[in-house]
Amino acid sequence: MLEPGVILPKHIAIIMDGNGRWAKQRGLVRTEGHKRGAEVFRKICRYCSDVGVEYVTFYAFSTENWKRSAGEVGAIMNLLREFLEELQQRKAENEFEKTAIRFLGTRDGMAPDIVQLMALVEANAAPDPKIHINVAVNYGGRDEIVRAVRSLMEAGVAAQDVTEQALSDALYTAGQPDPDLIIRPSGEYRLSNFLIWQAAYAEFYFDDILWPDFTPDDLDRAINAYAHRNRRFGGV
Ligand code: FPP
């Protein structure tokens, strides 16, 4: 349960980790873990919207995840495809629920039908969203920064105009606040190239639970812990 009067983080970012181990523990194939993980993703999106979190970002597929077997990559892409198709079908509902969805990552190397669906879903954003949902797909933090620098150079930006703000505005998260809270379940304590620029002042919360077992109660615990942190942003 959320503590009464708790101040919510404006932006929560989540690394959905532990799907493979969850499946293995149950004698299932890894893709079953991803399937369950995608259901939990939907549940947590809804919960964030219900409690009033304004921005939530999920790490779904990294630029390094292509190294996995073709079968596993294909299964994750199919889950993404299903989600996108579902969103397309529920276009009106999306509007009604005041949601804006953005995909962070490069579309290079992605299946053309998925790229097309991503563009459609992004274009369906509600005009006055209550919640912004970012899904990082084919995303790498270093790759994002390199692409941002290239885009500034291509735009002819002078060296003295390459500021923190200019760089932030060239990232996939342009115009959004940096994450306040980054959650990683599954007992791993690393960022794995996730939002490395945006994470500069984020609070971190680690949990042993595996992503397919993650519930709104676990999110509440993370938010309560965050609310007790003393964020100084380099000040005293
Ligand atoms: C990490 O767990 C998880 C992934 C690389 C994939 C996450 C993808 C989803 C939950 C589905 C995405 C779908 C939508 C609709 C956004 P792991 O496989 O590395 O787990 P392990 O460390 O236990 O092996």
Side-chain angles (χ1 to χ4, degrees):
M1 227 173 61
L2 285 176
E3 288 171 8
V6 77
I7 294 179
L8 290 173
K10 198 176 171 107
H11 185 169
I12 299 179
I14 304 177
I15 301 177
M16 304 188 285
D17 196 13
N19 297 347
R21 277 164 286 166
W22 181 90
K24 193 172 175 201
Q25 281 174 3
R26 286 161 179 75
L28 301 170
V29 287
R30 294 178 56 82
T31 51
E32 284 300 314
H34 297 316
K35 198 168 148 194
R36 174 70 175 250
E39 287 165 19
V40 173
F41 155 80
R42 285 176 176 78
K43 194 184 286 180
I44 297 298
C45 283
R46 173 156 299 279
Y47 184 69
C48 283
S49 175
D50 290 347
V51 296
V53 173
E54 289 175 59
Y55 294 85
V56 60
T57 301
F58 296 88
Y59 204 2
F61 193 84
S62 75
T63 43
E64 290 73 36
N65 285 150
W66 294 106
K67 290 183 220 153
R68 297 185 178 208
S69 75
E72 184 170 345
V73 170
I76 296 173
M77 290 301 159
N78 274 335
L79 289 167
L80 179 65
R81 193 176 271 115
E82 271 173 30
F83 172 63
L84 290 164
E85 283 167 352
E86 187 183 301
L87 285 174
Q88 253 312 85
Q89 282 154 12
R90 291 189 336 197
K91 204 163 137 182
E93 199 180 319
N94 196 30
E95 176 88 10
F96 174 71
E97 290 179 1
K98 294 187 185 292
T99 304
I101 297 183
R102 191 187 288 192
F103 296 93
L104 317 181
T106 171
R107 316 270 156 123
D108 297 352
M110 301 283 298
D113 69 307
I114 291 190
V115 172
Q116 202 184 355
L117 278 166
M118 282 173 157
L120 288 172
V121 164
E122 285 186 336
N124 289 343
D128 54 344
K130 177 174 176 247
I131 185 165
H132 298 256
I133 298 171
N134 294 327
V135 187
V137 177
N138 202 13
Y139 174 88
R142 289 185 175 181
D143 181 65
E144 178 183 34
I145 294 169
V146 168
R147 285 171 192 270
V149 171
R150 277 192 199 140
S151 74
L152 295 179
M153 293 182 79
E154 279 163 10
V157 174
Q160 70 270 18
D161 295 328
V162 180
T163 58
E164 291 189 12
Q165 189 60 50
L167 197 79
S168 292
D169 291 344
L171 299 175
Y172 297 122
T173 47
Q176 300 190 346
D178 285 340
D180 304 291
L181 171 63
I182 298 183
I183 300 172
R184 183 165 196 159
S186 96
E188 309 283 0
Y189 302 90
R190 25 172 211 277
L191 210 42
S192 300
N193 208 11
F194 185 48
L195 302 178
I196 52 175
W197 171 276
Q198 298 88 335
Y201 286 101
E203 294 291 330
F204 290 86
Y205 182 86
F206 299 100
D207 197 332
D208 286 337
I209 195 158
L210 303 175
W211 176 251
D213 288 327
F214 196 89
T215 65
D217 275 346
D218 295 305
L219 187 64
D220 284 352
R221 269 188 282 281
I223 295 173
N224 289 337
Y226 162 85
H228 290 285
R229 306 263 177 99
N230 178 8
R231 301 182 80 199
R232 291 187 294 277
F233 298 96
V236 286

